[in-house]
Amino acid sequence: MDGARLDRPDLLCPGLDGAGLGGSGLRRPGLDRLARLLPAPPGADRADPAAAPHVMVVGGGIAGLTAATALAERRVRVTLYEREEVLGGRLAGWRTRLADGSTVTMSRGFHAFFRQYYNLRALLRRTDPALSRLTGLPDYPLRHAGGGHDSFRHVPRTPPLSALGFVALSRSFRVRDLARMDARAALPLFDVRVPGVYERLDHTSAHDFLDAIRFPAAARHLAFEVFSRSFFADPRRLSAAEMALMFHVYFLGSAEGLLFDVPDEPFPQALWDPLAGYLTGLGAELRTSAAVEAVTALPGGGFTVAADGAEERCDAVVLALDPGALRGVVARSEGLGDETWRERVARLRTAPPFLVSRLWLARPVRGDRPGFLGTSGYGLLDNVSVLNRWEGEAARWAARTGGSVVELHAYALPGDTDREVRQKELLGQLHRIYPETHSARVVDARHEWRADCPLFPVGGYGDRLAVRTPVPGLVVAGDAVRTGLPVALMERAATSGFLAANALLSRSGLRGHPLWTVPERGRVAVLRWAARAAHGG
């Protein structure tokens, strides 16, 4: 199979013609009039109950839950395996008891649900049509230890006004800085296409790209590096192509703006418990605390999946796992896939460790503190959330105790770091940025150390897995998977889950699911032309 064709969305969504709404009558998912529809691949509305294929989905994070939902809605028999006790993957939540006797939900931390996450939001609409369980934060503020700060609250949404508005309103990016920049080197940011952006920039680091365009240092810390570290990687190791794609998705290519929503209750209550109920109502079987050991492709077609000491046969498999778990399953699945594919799986890498510290404090933070703040120059600290500003459970705890719930994130930490030392350093930076917390008694604290996010290293795009594999009936999904579309982070996970399901539905003659993306190229024709002329594109 031609590896260069494995991530073509038009192969997974036949009939893709780029014709706007395509006569489908589907309502646009957001405000962007240039948002692109990928029509649903044609086929029967649902499987014949007597001959419905049985698909096993390995992994209960966003990608796996999306694939399971898309398959179950066509009445495919679905069995989902999740090794943890709870669903949600990197957005899972679990109950814990605090020192004051309160029972609360702990998770791996804050996630922003941007308005251009069309496919993730479509998944959530299955159980919350109006997305009433998401609430918008009024601002996306950024603050630097040197005194600089920026905000996206009043920045226009539509490019190129978004870029011009940011420059005009920013205190860290002055108009005179534009004269010092290398405009020619910066042009690729205005002509982002997939996979062209990877061909052009994947062999450059985000750090070196910013150096090359002479982006102003203050704005660089407050804008580019805050965003690049949301990929859990140091800009020196992150592909410049991934950073350019990110700015296309969130800022330079989309008219949805940079403000975002957050769940108004912890992830299980707001998102995954309702979706689990929806899936079981469709007949899907959800097996938690069930780690898959190996997958075997059978000579006559189909697979066996080994989990909990037993094997079960199925017709197709979705591997929706983080890089480390995927490496492990494939390594234990002798003969699964060809040698080239297995070698690519073995080369998958995870980003450096990150730390989430959640603190239940005995006093409130100052009333003007935002619900979320991106930071730079505060040592390890990358952002601060005041959860009781927007999460119901945290707000109820704060109202009952007179305290507050604060969460700190630190990304891309050294692998050999001393955990207790780093946790104390992070707390010290909180005291520095919010001095009133210095005298606040810590009622209790939870610290989550994780290292399972995908790394998008310089020059790594060619090694990324596509949704399809060399094995008929075996597909992969997740935020590490290349989709051929301008999506990132949680939206990439959801999109890949739909694409994986569509690939399997197509094999069975069943109708797939439509997808939406932000525009697949830069919005301004003259800037696209200039970028191609300058770089021979």
Side-chain angles (χ1 to χ4, degrees), residues 332-419:
R332 295 189 297 270
S333 303
E334 186 175 351
L336 185 68
D338 60 26
E339 183 178 355
T340 299
W341 184 78
R342 292 178 65 86
E343 288 176 350
R344 290 172 68 189
V345 172
R347 288 194 294 268
L348 290 173
R349 292 294 175 264
T350 54
F354 67 92
L355 166 62
V356 174
S357 288
R358 187 173 296 181
L359 310 171
W360 287 263
L361 304 179
R363 59 164 290 176
V365 298
R366 214 170 67 190
D368 61 343
R369 302 304 190 193
F372 175 84
L373 177 68
T375 63
S376 182
Y378 289 93
L380 308 175
L381 185 64
D382 284 295
N383 58 63
V384 182
S385 298
V386 183
L387 269 70
N388 52 283
R389 293 279 190 268
W390 42 268
E391 185 189 271
E393 182 184 274
R396 291 188 292 274
W397 184 90
R400 186 175 68 253
T401 64
S404 55
V405 186
V406 178
E407 184 176 278
L408 316 174
H409 285 206
Y411 304 138
L413 298 174
D416 59 352
T417 191
D418 184 311
R419 294 190 175 189

Side-chain angles (χ1 to χ4, degrees), residues 504-517:
L504 298 182
L505 292 170
S506 179
R507 292 182 77 240
S508 299
L510 297 170
R511 181 167 54 88
H513 296 265
L515 298 173
W516 288 88
T517 74

